[in-house]
Amino acid sequence: MQPAALQTVELPPATPPQGMSLSALPTGSMTSRAAFAYRGGRFGDEREFAMTAVLVRHPRGDLLFDTGFGRHLEQHLALQPALMRATANFSKGTPAADQLAAHGFDTGRLAGVVLTHAHWDHVSGLDSLPGVPVWVNAAERDFIAGGGDMTSVARSLDRLEFKLYRFTDRPYLGFAQSLDVWGDGSVVLVPAAGHTPGSMIAFITLPSGARYALLGDLVWQAEGIDLPAERPWISRALADVDASAVRENIARVAAIHRRFPQIRMLPAHDARAMGSLPVFPTAAQ
């Protein structure tokens, strides 16, 4: 579906159960320049890039979306390209697993860690979540196996238990395919390839009616959707496997944003957006 066709699309129904909630688990940050984040950004505009996991609690199973930084950040960072390390400064926080444990949450009860994609800064925290299933689609699993430097951390982690999921041919907000995880419209995944082959977006609807879109790295800052704007060429060359697919998905999500402004768009690394979420153990419901 082309973005213009969204004008005839209604907001998808959802019946999220009582007890469902959403919390942020900030695990650290990176500082860089807006000029590296979106086309048109200024070198003089310093930005904080969030490294935040998102916990979605649901009676049928709790899911952690991405992990942020883990306990072995220094080793993981050393595996990354020199250009990336040279253009950013990293600040280590508390790993998501340790935050959960500090408040009595047994990570063994997680139904899974759902990866928006498998780049190092989204999987680093798997080093402290042994035995938790890692949800990926087949395209992202294959990318991990042969993705070079950008998936070296995922390959370095021992005994990851992958749980493969498949999208169905059921449209959702202009995306041709989707996966309704729990069958109630509360957690819906859609394919958004381009940044990586198996990148995806998660649409979350809470009992209060609040709606969120976990965009992963489709864009790095909110301007990517608001303007809209893709990454500058140097960042595209470093991070995206298919820049044209990223461009198409940005246009699609920007159209969703215009049509349904009540859906809160959450680029994974926008500290302003991620910082607006309640931090575990507090939660939005």
Side-chain angles (χ1 to χ4, degrees), residues 181-223:
V181 173
W182 300 130
D184 56 14
S186 65
V187 180
V188 178
L189 314 182
V190 300
H195 186 57
T196 67
S199 288
M200 68 82 177
I201 294 169
F203 289 92
I204 312 295
T205 304
L206 298 180
S208 64
R211 292 185 181 240
Y212 303 84
L214 305 181
L215 301 182
D217 283 10
L218 175 65
V219 296
W220 283 338
Q221 299 282 281
E223 287 88 348

Side-chain angles (χ1 to χ4, degrees), residues 111 113 129-136 158-164:
V113 173
L129 292 166
V132 177
V134 180
W135 291 30
V136 293
D158 292 334
R159 298 182 298 278
L160 291 185
E161 178 186 332
F162 289 119
K163 179 176 179 178
L164 294 184

Side-chain angles (χ1 to χ4, degrees), residues 67 141 185 198:
T67 69
R141 178 201 57 189

Side-chain angles (χ1 to χ4, degrees), residues 49-91:
F49 282 53
M51 303 294 168
T52 301
V54 174
L55 176 67
V56 174
R57 304 186 74 169
H58 189 289
R60 293 190 59 186
D62 296 341
L63 298 170
L64 188 67
F65 286 85
D66 294 333
T67 69
F69 291 158
R71 294 172 182 161
H72 302 99
L73 171 62
E74 293 78 11
Q75 295 95 310
H76 296 168
L77 184 57
L79 295 173
Q80 303 315 301
L83 178 60
M84 187 201 72
R85 290 185 276 116
T87 56
N89 295 309
F90 296 86
S91 177

